[in-house]
Amino acid sequence: MSALLDIVTLADLASPAACPRLVVKVGSALLVGERGARRGWLAALVGEIAAARARGQQVIVVSSGAIALGARRLGLDKGGRGSLADAQAAAAVGQIALSGLWAELLGDERLIAAQLLLTLDDLEDRRRYLNVTATLARLLDAGAVPVINENDSVATQEIRFGDNDRLAARVAQAARASAILLLSDVDGLYDRHPAQPGARLLPRVAGVTAEIRAMASGDSGSGMGSGGMRSKLDAAAIAERAGIALAIGNGHAERPIARVTGEGGSEAVGTLFVPRRRAAARKAWLGGRLRLRGTLVVDAGAAAALARGSSLLAAGITGVEGDFRRGDAVAIRSAEGVVLAHGLSEYDADECRSLQGRQSGEQAALLGYAPRRAVVHRDQLVVL
Ligand code: GLU
């Protein structure tokens, strides 16, 4: 579903014309308090979701809180995050309670909850990604409210998203959503640590640049979730590349969605990351990939060619890192260490090592075969 109007202000997140499909991500610290699930708070949020639905918006929820909730029930220390085994056990106990709560409270608003538990691979593998897209589309068309979390009980360290901010961005991409609202325990992105004097909330950010990243402090304020501003900026970067707006707002407000969008003429409080460009769906998927199998280091000539939209040829490659196979996603990095692009390699890592620095005409002699002239073809490449 593509937006009819562009999202240019926080208020547009409440407009069905500009934002027909909204992903709302709810952090652990909002959902779980000292005495367990914050039912009253969640009921109020669900009321806002019902209001969004009533004005014609489709809503997908990405809900954290399984680990925090399960840890309380099992009496595990460190919020269940002391070890992977603790987190997995806590998530299994917490998730069943969490989904039950969402289903019940959405049900009170006459909305049908649908649960999806995803692992990283479900969204990194193209075929599975398309399956998720189809399931979400069907659920939304049927009028359900998908409630999504990471499948923490089976996801091991290597195959975890680890934070629901990036999960929300990838889900939004799969669902072709118009915007993502990350509800957290801060008002948005500040130009310096919010505790410092003179810190100013940035209402609008155009581009997650190095300067913007320098403003983020890494830690999650509550210590309960695994988010923090850094993972929110990662999510914003994925979203902006996919042509999706992303807002950060404070979930502690009485009506958090209304506060972020400035409903009823009040001031909108939050940070809006406006999308930079609308990449083609496949390229956006590629650009947002989190698991890259290796790296191709390139010289300045190749870097300039990539920026012009050319394919990556072996002649411009100066180094090959990792052990990847043909078809795997790799990062393309400059000699200075800047990641310039993501792309699908046409050759295995060892073949790339044989080819690096050589002309295309030499490929057949070097490998005994040369199915592709480019090492990464421009159609399989996204410049970041
Ligand atoms: N998936 C985790 C949970 O449900 C939360 C991850 C995060 O903190 O972002 O507890």
Side-chain angles (χ1 to χ4, degrees):
M1 185 181 293
S2 62
L4 307 175
L5 300 171
D6 283 341
I7 294 179
V8 286
T9 64
L10 285 167
D12 292 335
L13 260 64
S15 149
C19 186
R21 196 170 276 182
L22 175 68
V23 173
V24 178
K25 181 256 171 177
V26 186
S28 301
L30 296 171
L31 268 159
V32 186
E34 287 300 320
R35 285 187 297 279
R38 297 178 62 218
R39 199 187 162 86
W41 177 86
L42 188 57
L45 180 71
V46 166
E48 285 202 283
I49 291 172
R53 286 280 309 244
R55 55 179 181 252
Q57 294 181 282
Q58 292 179 328
V59 180
I60 296 171
V61 173
V62 172
S63 175
S64 302
I67 297 175
L69 206 53
R72 273 196 172 57
R73 294 200 170 186
L74 290 173
L76 300 177
D77 59 3
K78 299 189 179 135
R81 291 172 190 266
S83 69
L84 182 63
D86 277 6
Q88 293 186 317
V93 170
Q95 185 61 45
I96 201 165
L98 190 62
S99 345
L101 194 59
W102 276 105
E104 184 195 331
L105 297 176
L106 284 165
D108 289 347
E109 298 282 352
R110 297 179 187 283
L111 293 170
I112 297 169
Q115 174 180 262
L116 264 82
L117 297 178
L118 300 174
T119 58
L120 185 60
D121 273 349
D122 293 326
L123 297 175
E124 299 277 295
D125 175 277
R126 181 82 184 155
R127 199 170 46 84
R128 278 152 75 178
Y129 173 85
L130 294 175
N131 282 341
V132 174
T133 299
T135 306
L136 284 172
R138 187 69 197 97
L139 282 170
L140 291 167
D141 285 349
V145 178
V147 179
I148 300 175
N149 196 0
E150 181 163 14
N151 198 349
D152 293 303
S153 293
V154 299
T156 59
Q157 231 114 34
E158 308 77 60
I159 59 160
R160 291 194 71 195
F161 276 98
D163 67 79
N164 276 2
D165 298 320
R166 291 181 305 165
L167 174 65
R170 289 297 257 165
V171 162
Q173 221 178 326
R176 312 207 198 303
S178 337
I180 304 155
L181 171 57
L182 301 179
L183 290 178
S184 158
D185 48 6
V186 287
D187 281 343
L189 178 68
Y190 285 82
D191 61 354
R192 68 201 75 173
H193 195 285
Q196 280 180 21
R200 200 173 60 85
L201 179 68
L202 302 178
R204 192 169 187 276
V205 174
V208 183
T209 57
E211 195 190 341
I212 291 293
R213 284 192 186 272
M215 295 173 186
S217 68
D219 47 340
S220 145
S222 66
M224 209 184 293
S226 50
M229 197 48 81
R230 243 175 245 160
S231 71
K232 291 183 177 43
L233 293 185
D234 286 344
I238 294 171
E240 82 176 8
R241 212 160 29 236
I244 300 171
L246 181 141
I248 302 175
N250 199 328
H252 282 304
E254 206 173 305
R255 295 174 62 229
I257 299 179
R259 181 164 184 262
V260 170
T261 59
E263 197 187 293
S266 61
E267 192 200 349
V269 185
T271 300
L272 176 70
F273 294 81
V274 288
R276 201 172 22 167
R277 56 177 179 232
R278 191 175 277 275
R282 183 178 161 74
K283 287 209 165 189
W285 172 78
L286 195 54
R289 283 197 54 143
L290 304 171
R291 190 126 69 94
L292 300 165
R293 300 284 181 183
T295 303
L296 299 170
V297 185
V298 300
D299 63 18
L306 289 175
R308 286 195 306 269
S310 304
S311 298
L312 175 64
L313 303 180
I317 298 176
T318 57
V320 178
E321 293 165 11
D323 180 24
F324 52 87
R325 306 298 303 267
R326 172 175 152 69
D328 282 345
V330 295
I332 301 175
R333 208 179 65 200
S334 71
E336 293 75 37
V338 178
V339 177
L340 306 167
H342 291 176
L344 300 183
S345 176
E346 298 287 350
Y347 292 98
D348 295 349
D350 285 343
E351 293 173 332
C352 290
R353 290 189 181 95
S354 313
L355 295 178
Q356 73 179 65
R358 312 295 281 260
Q359 298 302 318
S360 308
E362 297 176 80
Q363 285 178 194
L366 286 163
L367 299 179
Y369 82 126
R372 300 272 185 277
R373 205 173 144 263
V375 174
V376 181
H377 191 272
R378 61 185 149 84
D379 290 348
Q380 311 291 355
L381 175 74
V382 55
V383 177
L384 304 177

